[in-house]
Amino acid sequence: MATRMKLKLKTVFVLYFMVSLMGLIYALMQLGQRCDCAEHDMPKDRTISRLRGELHRLQEQMRKAEPTKPPQKLAVKPSQPTIYVITPTYTRFVQKAELTRLAQTFLHVPQLHWILVEDSPHKTPLVSGFLASSGLAYTHLHTPTPRDRKLQEGDPSWLKPRGAEQRNEGLRWLREDRRGQPGADTQLGVVYFADDDNTYSLKLFEEMRGTQRVSVWPVGLVGGMRYERPVVEAGKVVRFHTGWRPSRPFPLDMAGFAVSLKLVIANQDACFDGDAPMGFLESSFLQGLVTMDELEPKAENCTKVLVWHTRTEKPKMKREEALQKQGLGSDTAVEV
Ligand code: UDP
Ligand code: MN
């Protein structure tokens, strides 16, 4: 009896051991295998497929909008005229900012030569360094405005013309540089007077490149108006849309015309009169160079504004001055 009991117990024990072992083996086999938990993964799968759909839709949208199209380069053949831009500039807080904006516009214009003329008795290190690293073709000049012709602190900006001597210095360099060069009088080129604070569309430069004698176009935000412009009828300038003394010989802003290099070379004496009454500076140069009838209207018969007579606010330095008094002013070695 006892032996049979022993045998039964042994069988139970062996069976128990076998079942446990099989359970263990099964558990071990399940480890590392993918869990078939479809219900768990459903939301994750749905999110992935929704995001895929979204991505595809955005890709389609991007393809339709073609933002990857390379920017249209205003391509110019190497044989086309060089644009000589004469810019007067003077030392003030915003000078480097203005010049940076200007240079980065000019970098997009093929065959442009920048003639930067400082209103200063010497070339300044700021402008020299700036030009050297600008990546532009340039000529660096300087000439100071005589004291009696210079605006003084507090003078209204219209009291005296600004930049006249500097533009004349640019013209002098252009004429001298070309003197003695073969075919100087037939050289292709265009001269444009670009103040350092205006805003220029790249399209403007391609409009002016074909100038034969003097080309003209509208200027935005000038003369207390939305724009000033020559009025064109049957392809000719017949009068000027301006709010002030339209009877002036050329009621144009400095930014509103360009002259061919040929014409500048052929008229050695044409220059800006620094003593010209207000509003007559442009006329003092253009008179004798061209007649109204000869003006070449650009920018779709002077219906498009491609240059703006913007002006930059003078930064306030109240805090800087207060800190300087305490010996805590900004580091003067940092060029701004
Ligand atoms: N300018 C200059 N010296 C001065 C004042 C101005 O060389 O004392 C330059 C200035 O940098 C700009 C141009 O002359 O390129 C016209 O000056 P501004 O922009 O002040 O004239 P506005 O916009 O009032 O016509
Ligand atoms: Mn200006």
Side-chain angles (χ1 to χ4, degrees):
M1 182 73 182
T3 332
R4 270 183 62 194
M5 273 287 279
K6 230 178 176 176
L7 213 70
K8 246 187 184 171
L9 258 173
K10 197 176 167 188
T11 313
V12 169
F13 181 75
V14 167
L15 267 172
Y16 176 78
F17 179 75
M18 295 273 283
V19 169
S20 305
L21 193 67
M22 275 163 69
L24 188 67
I25 288 169
Y26 178 79
L28 282 172
M29 275 168 67
Q30 290 303 303
L31 270 179
Q33 269 195 27
R34 280 196 59 185
C35 158
D36 186 21
C37 26
E39 316 80 46
H40 279 175
D41 272 356
M42 281 288 272
K44 215 191 282 170
D45 284 352
R46 265 207 296 271
T47 310
I48 288 169
S49 93
R50 190 176 51 75
L51 287 174
R52 275 212 188 107
E54 185 87 346
L55 181 67
H56 183 74
R57 195 179 56 75
L58 287 173
Q59 277 172 339
E60 276 298 294
Q61 254 181 24
M62 278 168 70
R63 198 180 51 76
K64 277 190 200 134
E66 291 188 324
T68 50
K69 214 167 145 187
Q72 273 186 317
K73 274 257 170 196
L74 298 154
V76 173
K77 292 180 215 107
S79 61
Q80 291 216 302
T82 300
I83 297 172
Y84 294 93
V85 179
I86 298 178
T87 301
T89 188
Y90 69 111
T91 302
R92 74 263 200 217
F93 286 121
V94 298
Q95 184 180 32
K96 196 174 180 185
E98 305 278 35
L99 295 180
T100 299
R101 204 152 50 102
L102 209 51
Q104 290 182 357
T105 297
F106 294 163
L107 279 170
H108 292 286
V109 183
Q111 269 177 267
L112 181 146
H113 186 109
W114 196 13
I115 303 167
L116 189 56
V117 193
E118 287 196 74
D119 183 350
S120 161
H122 50 79
K123 294 181 189 176
T124 63
L126 184 145
V127 175
S128 302
F130 175 80
L131 281 173
S133 64
S134 70
L136 286 163
Y138 67 87
T139 298
H140 185 185
L141 305 171
H142 70 94
T143 188
T145 303
R147 221 192 119 71
D148 58 318
R149 281 190 180 170
K150 202 163 168 82
L151 275 183
Q152 302 303 318
E153 191 73 26
D155 281 352
S157 67
W158 47 262
L159 195 64
K160 288 170 190 159
R162 279 127 301 168
E165 276 79 10
Q166 291 70 36
R167 294 186 192 98
N168 288 339
E169 174 63 5
L171 288 169
R172 183 202 60 74
W173 178 84
L174 262 179
R175 287 165 174 148
E176 218 149 84
D177 187 62
R178 259 136 206 89
R179 199 167 288 158
Q181 280 189 20
D185 48 351
T186 56
Q187 225 169 60
L188 285 181
V190 179
V191 183
Y192 181 52
F193 302 97
D195 289 355
D196 61 2
D197 56 343
N198 292 340
T199 306
Y200 305 89
S201 161
L202 297 182
K203 290 180 190 142
L204 179 69
F205 299 95
E206 297 325 311
E207 288 289 324
M208 72 173 76
R209 207 181 285 275
T211 304
Q212 296 301 304
R213 295 175 69 79
V214 178
S215 57
V216 290
W217 51 79
V219 177
L221 315 177
V222 72
M225 295 176 63
R226 291 179 63 235
Y227 62 82
E228 285 185 349
R229 68 163 164 176
V231 178
V232 180
E233 281 172 14
K236 292 268 180 205
V237 175
V238 292
R239 59 193 164 81
F240 296 87
H241 172 66
T242 171
W244 188 74
R245 289 188 75 169
S247 60
R248 285 174 288 162
F250 292 95
L252 289 165
D253 184 76
M254 198 63 72
F257 68 91
V259 183
S260 74
L261 182 61
K262 247 187 303 191
L263 201 62
V264 167
I265 307 272
N267 294 270
Q268 294 281 320
D269 296 330
C271 63
F272 292 93
D273 178 3
D275 287 326
M278 176 186 141
F280 283 78
L281 188 64
E282 293 81 355
S283 295
S284 73
F285 174 67
L286 289 172
Q287 256 171 340
L289 275 189
V290 73
T291 62
M292 183 161 86
D293 191 52
E294 291 169 326
L295 293 176
E296 299 147 45
K298 302 287 184 190
E300 296 181 29
N301 279 328
C302 298
T303 60
K304 294 277 178 283
V305 173
L306 299 176
V307 55
W308 297 262
H309 185 261
T310 44
R311 305 186 71 193
T312 305
E313 186 184 353
K314 191 177 168 193
K316 294 178 181 69
M317 288 291 148
K318 273 216 173 88
R319 284 184 209 287
E320 186 69 57
E321 285 156 15
L323 284 170
Q324 273 168 7
K325 277 185 197 140
Q326 301 168 43
L328 296 169
S330 304
D331 186 349
T332 51
V334 176
E335 195 177 83
V336 178

